[in-house]
């Protein structure tokens, strides 16, 4: 028996067993009815009972008497033909069962063949089952939805790999040039070697930060809900204190409204989320600009809002900024790789939080992370966008 036909054989045998049991029950009913027919003890005076061969009425007009042998023969005759018919129905029911099982399983075989042809090259194809809605169509629609999500994930993975390869290729090219320059110059001095080595160290540090960001992004996307209680307000104060010198150096003013707000999650990842939002607000600001920070509980939600002044951000470009390696204005030597906001989104998704972002009128960006409470703890929801 081929493995592909096991279910078909099971359905066939099930159909056959159901037919035989139904026939046996019907035969038992026939026997019960036959036993209830009139006999010598229950005969009515003057009545005539006709069997296969007519029985003449008695001369004295009395009762009709059937012997026990005649009654038994009568019962056997009533059981014989239905019993033979039941035996004949066994192979017939097997044939019909095999046919009907094949018809029932035909959509499964069709979907299986289509799925076997789908691979990474043609993941865009769908089963696209038509017809009235039933269990098989619901299954096909569910599989099509899964294929759609898989296609989106694969496309994002391909873009991420391509962007990461491009970002890593740049420091490798710079390192090669710095190493090659003194080698092709016989008159290179110790000072020139030293200057090149210092640049190599700077490039190496930048590549280390990139790899660290990539690892954080991968770890954030694979994280799960749960964790431990985290004081959001304390982490926000710590992040601002650590960046006080940079804020002063860029002449940025901080307007902070920080209230107690406790959430549940991974404190390391939450701290990285806050740090990335603060760094983004500082780096993409303007001299003498403002960084607005709010942490509070409102409407049953713990909210973190960080806004900054700065260059004008086109509203249709806001969502793109949360993709890996995407920056509004690309600068090759600014030490940033466009991973900050993508890490923010990944950490929020890992905790189930909503990310709400919008362009500010007059320039800058406002980003809000919403942590809704549920049963006394933080239950985080899907990514969204501010209207």
């Amino acid at each position: 028996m081929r493995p592909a036909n096991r279910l078909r054989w099971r359905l066939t045998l099930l159909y056959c067993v159901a037919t035989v049991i139904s026939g046996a029950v019907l035969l038992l009913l026939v026997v019960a009815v036959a036993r209830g027919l009139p006999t010598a003890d229950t005969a009515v005076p003057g009545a005539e009972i006709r069997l296969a061969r007519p029985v003449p009425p008695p001369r004295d007009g009395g009762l009709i008497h059937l012997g026990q042998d005649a009654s038994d023969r009568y019962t056997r005759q009533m059981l014989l033909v239905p019993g033979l018919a039941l035996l004949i129905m066994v192979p017939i029911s097997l044939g019909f069962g095999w046919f009907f099982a094949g018809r029932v399983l035909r959509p499964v075989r069709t979907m299986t063949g289509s799925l076997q042809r789908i691979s990474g090259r043609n993941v865009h194809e769908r089963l696209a089952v038509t017809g009235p809605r039933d269990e098989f169509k619901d299954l096909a629609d569910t599989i099509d939805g899964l294929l759609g999500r898989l296609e989106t994930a694969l496309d994002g993975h391909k873009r991420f790999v391509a962007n990461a390869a491009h970002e890593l290729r740049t420091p490798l090219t710079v390192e090669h040039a710095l190493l090659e320059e003194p080698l092709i110059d016989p008159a290179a001095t110790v000072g020139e070697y030293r200057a090149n080595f210092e640049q190599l160290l700077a490039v190496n540090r930048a590549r280390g930060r990139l790899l660290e960001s990539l690892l954080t992004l991968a770890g954030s996307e694979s994280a799960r809900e749960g964790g431990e209680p985290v004081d959001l307000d304390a982490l926000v104060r710590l992040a601002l204190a650590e960046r006080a010198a940079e804020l002063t150096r860029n002449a940025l003013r901080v307007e902070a409204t920080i209230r107690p707000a406790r959430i549940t999650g991974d404190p390391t990842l939450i701290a990285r989320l806050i740090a990335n939002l603060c760094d983004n607000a500082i780096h993409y600001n303007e001299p003498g600009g403002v960084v607005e920070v709010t942490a509070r509980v409102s409407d049953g939600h713990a909210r973190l809002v960080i806004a900054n002044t700065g260059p004008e951000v086109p509203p249709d470009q806001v969502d793109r900024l949360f993709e890996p390696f995407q920056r509004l204005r690309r600068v090759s030597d600014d030490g940033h790789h466009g991973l900050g906001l993508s890490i923010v989104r990944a950490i929020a998704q890992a905790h189930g939080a909503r990310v709400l972002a919008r362009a500010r009128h007059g320039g800058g960006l406002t980003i809000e992370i919403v942590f809704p409470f549920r049963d006394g703890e933080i239950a985080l929801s899907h990514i969204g966008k501010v209207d």
Side-chain angles (χ1 to χ4, degrees):
M1 184 189 306
R2 291 188 304 141
N5 287 329
R6 286 181 180 175
L7 182 57
R8 188 174 183 180
W9 271 114
R10 291 175 184 174
L11 292 176
T12 299
L13 294 176
L14 181 63
Y15 177 82
C16 179
V17 169
T19 302
V20 172
I21 292 177
S22 300
V25 172
L26 179 61
L27 188 58
L28 292 175
L29 292 175
V30 171
V31 172
V33 173
R35 291 184 180 277
L37 291 176
T39 63
D41 297 332
T42 59
V44 180
E48 295 184 0
I49 297 179
R50 298 183 180 274
L51 299 176
R53 179 181 298 176
V55 180
R59 295 178 180 178
D60 56 359
L63 297 176
I64 296 177
H65 298 279
L66 293 177
Q68 185 64 36
D69 293 341
S71 178
D72 292 342
R73 285 196 303 271
Y74 174 72
T75 301
R76 286 196 299 270
Q77 288 176 355
M78 294 193 68
L79 292 176
L80 181 61
V81 175
L84 291 175
L86 184 60
L87 291 177
I88 295 173
M89 280 301 298
V90 171
I92 295 177
S93 63
L94 283 173
F96 277 107
W98 179 262
F99 173 76
F100 290 138
R103 292 296 299 269
V104 170
L105 295 176
R106 182 182 297 175
V108 177
R109 292 197 300 271
T110 302
M111 288 188 288
T112 301
S114 300
L115 288 173
Q116 288 175 344
R117 292 190 297 270
I118 295 178
S119 63
R121 297 180 180 179
N122 59 343
V123 72
H124 61 278
E125 294 185 5
R126 299 292 182 269
L127 299 179
V129 174
T130 58
R133 179 165 294 280
D134 54 16
E135 288 81 358
F136 289 124
K137 181 168 174 55
D138 289 341
L139 175 61
D141 292 344
T142 301
I143 294 175
D144 285 344
L146 175 62
L147 290 174
R149 294 190 295 273
L150 180 61
E151 180 184 10
T152 302
L154 287 176
D155 289 343
H157 177 71
K158 291 177 182 178
R159 290 195 303 269
F160 179 82
V161 171
N163 291 331
H166 176 74
E167 293 289 336
L168 290 172
R169 187 184 300 116
T170 301
L172 288 175
T173 303
V174 174
E175 286 181 350
H176 180 79
L178 292 173
L179 290 171
E180 187 181 41
E181 181 180 352
L183 293 178
I184 62 177
D185 184 8
T189 63
V190 175
E192 291 175 342
Y193 274 101
R194 187 179 185 86
N196 283 6
F197 288 153
E198 290 177 352
Q199 294 182 53
L200 283 171
L201 287 175
V203 172
N204 184 264
R205 285 192 294 268
R207 186 166 57 180
R209 288 193 298 270
L210 173 60
L211 293 176
E212 181 184 356
S213 297
L214 292 174
L215 290 174
T216 302
L217 180 59
S220 302
E221 291 177 340
S222 62
R224 293 293 182 267
E225 294 185 13
E228 58 187 80
V230 178
D231 290 325
L232 184 64
D233 52 309
L235 292 180
V236 172
R237 290 191 179 94
L238 178 61
L240 292 176
E242 292 175 344
R243 288 156 180 79
E246 187 175 3
L247 289 167
T248 303
R249 185 168 57 252
N250 291 278
L252 298 177
R253 187 175 78 258
V254 176
E255 297 179 358
T257 303
I258 302 175
R259 299 287 183 268
R262 173 166 289 191
I263 63 176
T264 300
D266 186 316
T268 302
L269 291 179
I270 297 297
R272 183 59 183 269
L273 178 147
I274 297 171
N276 283 11
L277 289 176
C278 292
D279 290 340
N280 184 81
I282 294 172
H283 180 74
Y284 296 101
N285 214 313
E286 57 189 7
V290 179
V291 176
E292 300 175 2
V293 181
T294 302
R296 59 191 173 90
V297 175
S298 174
D299 299 328
H301 300 77
R303 300 175 181 269
L304 171 65
V305 183
I306 297 182
N308 65 287
T309 55
E312 190 79 25
V313 179
D316 59 345
Q317 297 294 312
V318 172
D319 288 341
R320 183 178 67 85
L321 297 178
F322 287 87
E323 296 296 328
F325 304 106
Q326 298 297 317
R327 285 169 284 179
L328 190 62
R329 293 169 181 83
R330 188 176 184 87
V331 180
S332 59
D333 59 349
D334 62 356
H336 294 262
H337 303 91
L339 288 172
L341 293 183
S342 62
I343 291 175
V344 167
R345 185 177 66 175
I347 294 175
Q349 285 178 324
H351 290 78
R354 288 186 297 145
V355 177
L356 312 174
R358 60 181 175 84
R360 287 167 54 99
H361 180 71
L365 194 66
T366 298
I367 301 175
E368 180 178 7
I369 314 296
V370 182
F371 303 90
F373 291 106
R374 186 179 299 168
D375 297 331
E377 292 186 352
I378 292 304
L380 310 165
S381 59
H382 61 278
I383 294 290
K385 182 180 177 181
V386 170
D387 294 331

